[in-house]
Amino acid sequence: MKTNQGVILVFILGILSFINIKLIMSLIDTRREEIRLSKKLNSLIEKKQNAEDQFVLKQDHMRKMLTDKDFMEQVTHQKTGYIKDKETVVKFED
């Protein structure tokens, strides 16, 4: 009878050990997934911040275009190469 109890006890301990190992492996996988998702979240937060910064810059540029005459004149000079009277243009060769 004691031999049967010993076998049953070893069998139960084996099953519990197997369950514990599976649980530990599951926890390790969960931790890895948490780290991966955390990195992805940080990347998305950084992209969001960059997009917001670009939006603010473009919004500022648009506001200047609508309200600042000197700014529009400067942009026109840059884009079209327009030259005002009494301006001197110096061109350097590359």
Side-chain angles (χ1 to χ4, degrees), residues 31-75:
R31 178 68 179 145
R32 286 183 185 147
E33 181 70 6
E34 178 192 11
I35 291 170
R36 185 187 71 79
L37 290 173
S38 178
K39 287 179 182 178
K40 186 172 183 177
L41 177 63
N42 289 337
S43 172
L44 290 172
I45 288 170
E46 186 177 320
K47 285 181 182 180
K48 176 185 174 261
Q49 185 61 47
N50 288 339
E52 287 174 352
D53 292 345
Q54 287 295 320
F55 178 75
V56 168
L57 288 174
K58 289 182 182 198
Q59 200 175 29
D60 186 47
H61 187 80
M62 181 64 77
R63 189 178 331 99
K64 284 182 180 178
M65 285 177 62
L66 294 172
T67 61
D68 189 350
K69 182 182 176 202
D70 293 334
F71 180 76
M72 278 305 299
E73 200 170 289
Q74 179 186 359
V75 170

Side-chain angles (χ1 to χ4, degrees), residues 4-51:
N4 286 342
Q5 288 178 346
V7 170
I8 291 172
L9 182 61
V10 169
F11 180 72
I12 291 173
L13 286 174
I15 290 174
L16 290 175
S17 296
F18 177 76
I19 291 171
N20 282 335
I21 290 171
K22 290 300 264 180
L23 178 62
I24 290 170
M25 290 173 61
S26 175
L27 290 173
I28 290 171
D29 289 342
T30 302
R31 178 68 179 145
R32 286 183 185 147
E33 181 70 6
E34 178 192 11
I35 291 170
R36 185 187 71 79
L37 290 173
S38 178
K39 287 179 182 178
K40 186 172 183 177
L41 177 63
N42 289 337
S43 172
L44 290 172
I45 288 170
E46 186 177 320
K47 285 181 182 180
K48 176 185 174 261
Q49 185 61 47
N50 288 339

